[in-house]
Amino acid sequence: MDSVITLQCQNPTCLSPNALTNRFCEKCGTPLVKRYLWMMGDWVRSYYRVGELIDHRYLVKQPQIVLDTKPAQAPQSPEEPPSWLSLYLKLLPFHLHIPQVYGYIPSPDERLNMDIWLLEYGTIPLDETGELIYPELLPTLDEVWSQASDLRQIHWLWQMAKLWHPLQKKAVVSSLLNPFLTRVNNQLLQLLELSKDEAAAPNLRNLGAFWAGLIPTAAANIQDFLASLTQELESGDLDRPESLIAILDYALQHYGAGQERSYEIFTCTDTGPLREHNEDACYPPANQAITLSNGQNPFDKAQGKPLAIVCDGIGGQEGGEIAAQLAIETLPREINPSPTSDIEIYPDSYSLVLEQAIRVTNDLISQRNDQESRQDRRRMGTTLVMAFGHAEEMYAAHVGDSRIYWITPQGCHQVTVDDDLASREVKLGYLLYRDAIQYPNAGALVQALGMGSATNLHPTVQRLIVDQDCVFLLCSDGLSDYDRVEQYWDSEILPLLQGEKTVTAVGESLLQLANQKNGHDNSTIALVYCRVVPAAETVRPLIYAEAKERIIPHLNDQDFDHNGDTDPGEEVVTAIPTPPPASSSVPSPTSSPPPTTVSPLVVAAIAVGVLGLLAAITWQFLGRHPASNPSISPAPVNDPSPVMTPSAPVTSPSPTTGTTPSATVTSPSPVTTPPAPVTSPSPPNP
């Protein structure tokens, strides 16, 4: 049946049908994106046949797996997502590990509960013909564990530990303990689906038991470490996620020393065919390829770390380019940490350094706005993406809708989540992402550097572990719009990793691509090409007691606030700032706190008590204290949707006759009012 089914070109100006075996569109030459999706619900395995076309677009390639043959068309979306689905949406900040809801296929019979929900995972491993390498999209952790290096095995465990608390808050942490759901996508740990916790929520003892099963096939020089670690977990001696993360951080540093890394960085920028002025800026200076061996950066000798920055200015010719240039000048100067024992012990200390530098830069731009009396649409700002390398780590920071992509020989993953209205509505659980980007002004920004005080800014800083050759692409939306990176990464960037192109040639070809295929905006690109080779000396096995002795005493002196989880956590979203009137691309979203239901008797009792207290105070102090009328500061804007405890599995329910899904999670109706749309200066990033 495949022979009569075609694959639509994703180029919006083409949309031509193509044979499923084609890699490029026969008409326009655009690379064809093959989007494989997971159908939730075991029942679909027996209901649909391989080769069947569902809903006139989804081709069944494997049981429970479909290929979208019309990727240029927006998938169907319900008017209001079911409450249980909101857990996936609110976990959008963890999209590198948690699948996102792509769309749904309505039930063929309204009397039957047979809706199909589709999940997407970013880049899926494919062979040269575009077919799946793994019959169930991704391999399980068990399948590939024994072939991985010591550093990668520790990296996978570290990712599980980092996900523990965010998933525990959503009552789906048992997903991490399910061998069928725990998958890996090269360096990334990814969950196939979310599974609800039972009445007795899993704890770290359960995680220790799960990991204990991995010891026999672990790399030889981590087996003893892993055995001691799992013993501590199972006994309850190690009972805090932050302690576990810190110990694994220490192990990452230890085994990361078994590799050496060198970098090539190239940046370039262009006004574009339709713009008169270039409001973008980049660091290091454009059109100069530099090589960094042993972490030395000739443009930043005091710092000695690889650093790349891309900024997309906002506010027109008289403001945007000034804000972007201010950011480029300020950030390298502010990111000059002197390594201390704290930074060596707590790698996330570098995250704090970067965040502080971003806040300082924000305030400098904001103060410039105030000094020049810039108001409303004349107020200038800029987006920001920044990559900062240290040892085995790459820190990715962003504000706004410029993007960072992580490209390896196996795939391309978008690291950042745009700070725009579309992503905001998804994070609040209101809309599916591919539905949200269809709305007017979906690409309007909710934050950018310089629009207001840094106290209202929420930059996202992520820490990624580099254990193989890879490329980090930083770009403004002049390139990323219309899925151009997803379409062209393997034809344009992969040759760099294969030794067929230089970093300069790749950067220039991407800039040309942005102008030819998009062309509506300025385009700026930074490429950070990281090479990884084994170190001259082999790393000795890590002794668990050594790591514990170094880490735990320091942790015991700290106060941990789980509300600060930003890896990147949802808290980046739940306190969206309300900036002063700004440029046309930054609206001022508002929301109201969630309603609280209180008994009328309780209200009456409280009212009587308050009135009595006020009367007494008035009597005591009337005449001695002047009357005042203090201004009332609004409470911080918090997530309008409190954490819910699911009452049933967070999966698509099996079809039943004339019933609603039994697998539901109670979720309140939205209590926020979306901000009034403000025209975005460029199309939303699809």
Side-chain angles (χ1 to χ4, degrees):
M1 189 172 181
D2 287 15
S3 60
V4 299
I5 297 174
T6 58
L7 179 62
Q8 183 186 56
C9 175
Q10 201 173 0
N11 186 345
T13 62
C14 178
L15 305 180
S16 297
N18 289 268
L20 293 176
T21 55
N22 285 12
R23 292 190 59 198
F24 299 89
C25 176
E26 294 177 355
K27 183 176 181 181
C28 71
T30 299
L32 297 175
V33 175
K34 290 195 172 181
R35 200 167 277 159
Y36 289 90
L37 309 166
W38 180 260
M39 294 189 290
M40 299 177 69
D42 291 341
W43 62 274
V44 300
R45 286 179 173 265
S46 58
Y47 192 85
Y48 293 103
R49 304 183 310 275
V50 172
E52 185 174 352
L53 193 65
I54 308 175
D55 200 31
H56 306 291
R57 70 181 287 180
Y58 299 106
L59 175 64
V60 181
K61 298 292 290 185
Q62 294 285 350
Q64 226 168 330
I65 298 172
V66 295
L67 171 68
D68 186 1
T69 64
K70 299 178 180 178
Q73 298 182 19
Q76 290 196 64
S77 181
E79 292 184 4
E80 183 177 344
S83 57
W84 63 268
L85 205 67
S86 67
L87 288 179
Y88 285 92
L89 307 181
K90 293 179 180 181
L91 288 169
L92 176 64
F94 298 92
H95 71 288
L96 286 177
H97 312 287
I98 309 297
Q100 281 300 296
V101 183
Y102 182 77
Y104 91 125
I105 304 171
S107 174
D109 189 332
E110 295 181 355
R111 297 170 299 176
L112 302 176
N113 178 29
M114 296 179 63
D115 290 345
I116 298 175
W117 294 94
L118 303 168
L119 299 179
E120 61 177 323
Y121 305 82
T123 303
I124 297 295
L126 305 177
D127 61 22
E128 293 181 356
T129 65
E131 294 296 317
L132 293 168
I133 293 178
Y134 299 98
E136 289 190 322
L137 290 183
L138 299 168
T140 64
L141 178 63
D142 287 338
E143 287 180 75
V144 296
W145 172 261
S146 61
Q147 289 82 44
S149 67
D150 49 15
L151 179 59
R152 178 156 293 188
Q153 289 179 346
I154 295 294
H155 183 204
W156 284 334
L157 301 184
W158 176 79
Q159 291 175 73
M160 294 179 74
K162 296 281 278 185
L163 287 169
W164 186 266
H165 185 66
L167 297 188
Q168 190 178 54
K169 290 196 301 180
K170 298 297 186 185
V172 290
V173 73
S174 58
S175 310
L176 292 171
L177 305 176
N178 188 325
F180 177 76
L181 299 181
T182 308
R183 306 298 179 102
V184 293
N185 194 347
N186 193 34
Q187 76 275 22
L188 296 175
L189 182 118
Q190 293 186 323
L191 293 176
L192 190 63
E193 290 185 15
L194 296 177
S195 175
K196 92 166 191 72
D197 298 343
E198 300 298 335
N203 54 41
L204 291 181
R205 293 175 187 262
N206 305 115
L207 185 63
F210 180 34
W211 287 0
L214 300 172
I215 296 174
T217 53
N221 61 342
I222 73 167
Q223 285 190 357
D224 290 343
F225 169 81
L226 188 54
S228 298
L229 174 63
T230 56
Q231 184 178 0
E232 291 263 295
L233 288 169
E234 291 187 89
S235 67
D237 291 338
L238 190 61
D239 59 357
R240 295 192 300 173
E242 57 271 6
S243 300
L244 174 60
I245 293 169
I247 289 174
L248 290 172
D249 268 327
Y250 189 85
L252 285 173
Q253 294 179 55
H254 179 85
Y255 290 104
Q259 297 176 334
E260 294 180 352
R261 294 160 186 81
S262 60
Y263 298 87
E264 290 182 50
I265 300 177
F266 178 79
T267 63
C268 53
T269 184
D270 191 81
T271 303
L274 301 181
R275 294 293 180 97
E276 296 181 358
H277 302 279
N278 192 348
E279 298 178 61
D280 291 0
C282 55
Y283 176 92
N287 302 317
Q288 300 181 44
I290 62 172
T291 300
L292 292 69
S293 58
N294 301 320
Q296 294 303 310
N297 187 339
F299 288 97
D300 221 340
K301 296 183 183 299
Q303 178 178 292
K305 305 290 183 184
L307 175 66
I309 306 170
V310 167
C311 291
D312 182 353
I314 298 167
Q317 173 193 353
E318 60 181 20
E321 56 192 283
I322 297 174
Q325 194 58 42
L326 270 174
I328 291 298
E329 294 171 356
T330 306
L331 284 165
R333 183 174 66 245
E334 291 295 323
I335 304 171
N336 185 22
S338 299
T340 65
S341 58
D342 284 344
I343 286 181
E344 291 171 359
I345 294 175
Y346 308 116
D348 269 340
S349 297
Y350 272 117
S351 297
L352 300 178
V353 169
L354 296 181
E355 185 173 332
Q356 179 61 22
I358 292 171
R359 294 185 181 281
V360 169
T361 303
N362 175 87
D363 283 348
L364 284 176
I365 300 172
S366 181
Q367 290 166 11
R368 176 77 173 263
N369 278 322
D370 295 340
Q371 291 168 0
E372 297 178 6
S373 301
R374 293 178 178 267
Q375 300 294 332
D376 302 325
R377 297 181 183 275
R378 292 190 63 248
R379 201 166 177 87
M380 62 183 177
T382 183
T383 70
L384 164 72
V385 281
M386 176 168 55
F388 174 80
H390 167 66
E392 73 282 350
E393 304 161 338
M394 181 63 70
Y395 291 81
H398 90 278
V399 175
D401 65 351
S402 296
R403 291 181 175 180
I404 299 179
Y405 294 86
W406 189 3
I407 296 102
T408 68
Q410 293 77 27
C412 171
H413 298 278
Q414 182 181 327
V415 173
T416 55
V417 175
D418 298 342
D419 288 326
D420 61 10
L421 288 181
S423 297
R424 175 181 180 269
E425 294 303 295
V426 176
K427 294 169 187 176
L428 292 174
Y430 299 162
L431 295 171
L432 277 59
Y433 181 72
R434 300 208 175 259
D435 183 34
I437 60 176
Q438 305 302 318
Y439 282 75
N441 304 305
L445 302 182
V446 297
Q447 66 171 357
L449 288 185
M451 309 313 296
S453 169
T455 57
N456 291 325
L457 188 72
H458 298 272
T460 300
V461 182
Q462 302 177 65
R463 183 155 56 98
L464 310 171
I465 305 302
V466 175
D467 64 0
Q468 68 175 133
D469 290 2
C470 60
V471 176
F472 289 93
L473 166 65
L474 293 70
C475 63
S476 61
D477 56 3
L479 173 64
S480 62
D481 278 344
Y482 304 111
D483 286 342
R484 298 307 182 193
V485 176
E486 289 82 354
Q487 293 169 7
Y488 286 93
W489 72 270
D490 56 347
S491 62
E492 300 296 329
I493 303 176
L494 198 55
L496 174 59
L497 291 167
Q498 296 168 337
E500 299 172 0
K501 283 188 177 182
T502 66
V503 66
T504 301
V506 171
E508 291 174 346
S509 67
L510 288 174
L511 196 61
Q512 185 178 15
L513 179 72
N515 286 336
Q516 291 179 348
K517 298 297 183 180
N518 289 343
H520 58 279
D521 202 354
N522 311 143
S523 297
T524 301
I525 295 162
L527 292 167
V528 181
Y529 175 25
C530 178
R531 287 194 179 98
V532 179
V533 297
E537 296 184 8
T538 304
V539 174
R540 63 174 176 80
L542 177 61
I543 300 173
Y544 177 78
E546 170 191 325
K548 183 178 179 181
E549 181 181 358
R550 182 79 184 274
I551 296 297
I552 300 301
H554 296 275
L555 290 176
N556 290 337
D557 295 335
Q558 295 192 19
D559 232 355
F560 290 96
D561 178 10
H562 288 304
N563 289 328
D565 289 347
T566 54
D567 182 45
E570 60 189 337
E571 287 73 21
V572 173
V573 183
T574 58
I576 294 176
T578 304
S583 74
S584 61
S585 62
V586 184
S588 300
T590 58
S591 63
S592 57
T596 304
T597 302
V598 183
S599 167
L601 293 177
V602 174
V603 172
I606 293 175
V608 171
V610 170
L611 289 174
L613 180 61
L614 290 175
I617 293 174
T618 303
W619 180 260
Q620 289 288 330
F621 295 98
L622 189 62
R624 288 188 290 171
H625 294 271
S628 62
N629 183 22
S631 62
I632 301 176
S633 300
V637 181
N638 293 320
D639 188 350
S641 303
V643 177
M644 297 292 130
T645 301
S647 57
V650 188
T651 57
S652 181
S654 301
T656 54
T657 303
T659 61
T660 55
S662 59
T664 58
V665 178
T666 304
S667 178
S669 300
V671 295
T672 61
T673 301
V678 181
T679 302
S680 175
S682 62
N685 271 319

